[in-house]
Amino acid sequence: MHFVDAKGILSAKNGMNIYRGCTHGCIYCDSRSDCYQMNHDFEDIEVKQNCVVLLEKALQSKRKKCMIGTGSMSDPYMHCEEKLELMKQCLEVIERYGFGVAVQTKSDRILRDLSLLRKINQKAKAVVQTTFTTYDEELCKILEPNVCTTKKRFEMLMAMKEEGIPTVVWMDPILPFINDNKENLEGLLDYCIQAKVKGIICFGIGMTLRNGNREYFYRKLDEHFPGLKERYQRTYGYAYELGSPNGRALYRYLQDTCKEHNIMCTPEEVFAYMNEFPQDKGYEQLSLFDI
């Protein structure tokens, strides 16, 4: 972990990342990709130590209230947040100035800030997003080794439901030849139905690989799934998009289930919901992918 003074904290479209890098260890993580030009080891977390001051200045200067998105590149509830509490302080600023927030995290550490999220949601809007890739708990510990398992994330969503805080699930990536099966999807969708999530974001059944994360992913395949790297290489070569052979049928099943249970299931619809500030329906939608 190392500390820097950032020049700014909000992107032009109101995205915020207070950390860079990650300690979750997910074997498929796209944020490892070379295109993001991270000039330090991925696990050596860069901490924007002045983020709270920068955020307060930014919100003071805004003419309209809006949603603040965070967690798209680096999870705001990594291990270091337990000690630093920078995300907590940022939420306090967001609540004080009456803005909304859309938080993306794989960690149930967010429950520490449940009362803050409740206040933000009562005053404006808070949306909590998490990732479901793997229903099997033992497999989850391999694919996402240093963060709480899917079952814990489900319990976190249930806690949000009890507080009236809307939730969204990112159901990707689904890894070809590993968890691209109906049994896995059935378990994940059952969690979503029980938690009454507002929406599910899935860009298709499969994954993406770029320089940087491809090498790490293949190294982990060799470690945990001997011989599978060669199957990936034979099937996909150096493709960016790695669609599952079962993709069409599984994606149709996901869409049908969502429609049956009134869950938003197109990325456009879900993003529009998360980005809409309740007191300003004409608010220009932001992209949660911005750094």
Side-chain angles (χ1 to χ4, degrees):
M1 184 168 58
H2 63 282
F3 297 83
V4 300
D5 284 321
K7 294 181 180 179
I9 194 59
L10 289 185
S11 73
K13 295 183 179 180
N14 302 308
M16 174 180 75
N17 282 286
I18 59 182
Y19 302 115
R20 290 200 77 195
C22 191
T23 52
H24 289 343
C26 303
I27 73 171
Y28 52 74
C29 182
D30 177 71
S31 294
R32 292 180 181 273
S33 300
D34 294 343
C35 63
Y36 299 117
Q37 300 179 337
M38 199 169 296
N39 57 7
H40 55 87
D41 290 340
F42 192 70
E43 288 78 11
D44 178 18
I45 306 304
E46 180 177 285
V47 179
K48 299 175 184 178
Q49 61 186 351
N50 58 338
C51 62
V52 180
V53 172
L54 290 175
L55 179 62
E56 183 154 18
K57 288 180 179 178
L59 298 190
Q60 284 175 340
S61 67
K62 284 194 175 293
R63 295 167 59 186
K64 286 187 176 182
K65 299 290 195 297
C66 64
M67 297 293 289
I68 306 299
T70 186
S72 61
M73 285 294 297
S74 293
D75 197 314
Y77 287 99
M78 290 182 289
H79 304 78
C80 58
E81 172 63 17
E82 291 183 7
K83 178 180 179 181
L84 299 176
E85 296 192 344
L86 292 177
M87 183 60 191
K88 180 180 181 180
Q89 294 175 62
C90 286
L91 288 176
E92 289 171 343
V93 171
I94 290 169
E95 190 275 331
R96 186 160 63 248
Y97 285 90
F99 283 72
V101 68
V103 184
Q104 186 174 345
T105 181
K106 290 178 181 175
S107 176
D108 58 356
R109 291 186 186 92
I110 193 173
L111 292 173
R112 179 200 65 187
D113 297 334
L114 186 57
S115 62
L116 270 171
L117 292 165
R118 184 196 312 119
K119 290 178 183 177
I120 293 171
N121 195 50
Q122 290 170 345
K123 186 181 293 186
K125 181 179 177 182
V127 182
V128 172
Q129 310 156 68
T130 196
T131 299
F132 283 177
T133 65
T134 309
Y135 184 71
D136 183 280
E137 291 287 282
E138 294 308 309
L139 180 59
C140 183
K141 292 172 185 177
I142 294 173
L143 303 183
E144 301 161 339
N146 302 324
V147 68
C148 69
T149 62
T150 304
K151 185 177 180 181
K152 287 289 186 181
R153 288 175 231 167
F154 162 66
E155 292 169 355
M156 177 264 287
L157 293 184
M158 294 295 284
M160 296 297 165
K161 184 185 76 168
E162 291 299 314
E163 295 293 340
I165 297 169
T167 56
V168 165
V169 164
W170 290 70
M171 202 168 289
D172 73 348
I174 304 296
L175 308 181
F177 318 127
I178 296 177
N179 58 3
D180 58 335
N181 56 74
K182 190 174 181 182
E183 182 182 18
N184 182 50
L185 217 58
E186 284 176 338
L188 298 178
L189 287 169
D190 183 59
Y191 277 164
C192 292
I193 293 164
Q194 290 185 61
K196 295 187 177 180
V197 301
K198 285 284 186 178
I200 293 173
I201 297 174
C202 179
F203 292 101
I205 307 299
M207 65 179 302
T208 60
L209 284 180
R210 294 191 262 210
N211 290 341
N213 77 313
R214 179 183 290 107
E215 292 79 2
Y216 185 81
F217 179 67
Y218 280 169
R219 191 159 67 246
K220 290 301 177 179
L221 288 188
D222 282 340
E223 182 179 339
H224 298 290
F225 308 96
L228 192 53
K229 177 181 74 175
E230 289 73 21
R231 186 176 182 185
Y232 267 79
Q233 291 172 329
R234 288 194 306 270
T235 306
Y236 302 108
Y238 283 89
Y240 168 60
E241 295 183 357
L242 285 60
S244 164
N246 308 318
R248 287 188 180 181
L250 290 176
Y251 193 65
R252 191 180 307 115
Y253 171 70
L254 184 150
Q255 290 181 311
D256 290 345
T257 303
C258 287
K259 290 175 183 176
E260 180 183 349
H261 294 277
N262 198 29
I263 298 171
M264 292 181 285
C265 64
T266 66
E268 295 80 9
E269 188 180 18
V270 181
F271 281 130
Y273 169 76
M274 289 193 294
N275 298 333
E276 184 180 60
F277 189 78
Q279 276 74 51
D280 184 5
K281 301 302 183 182
Y283 169 66
E284 180 182 357
Q285 292 174 4
L286 61 94
S287 169
L288 299 182
F289 289 104
D290 286 288
I291 300 176

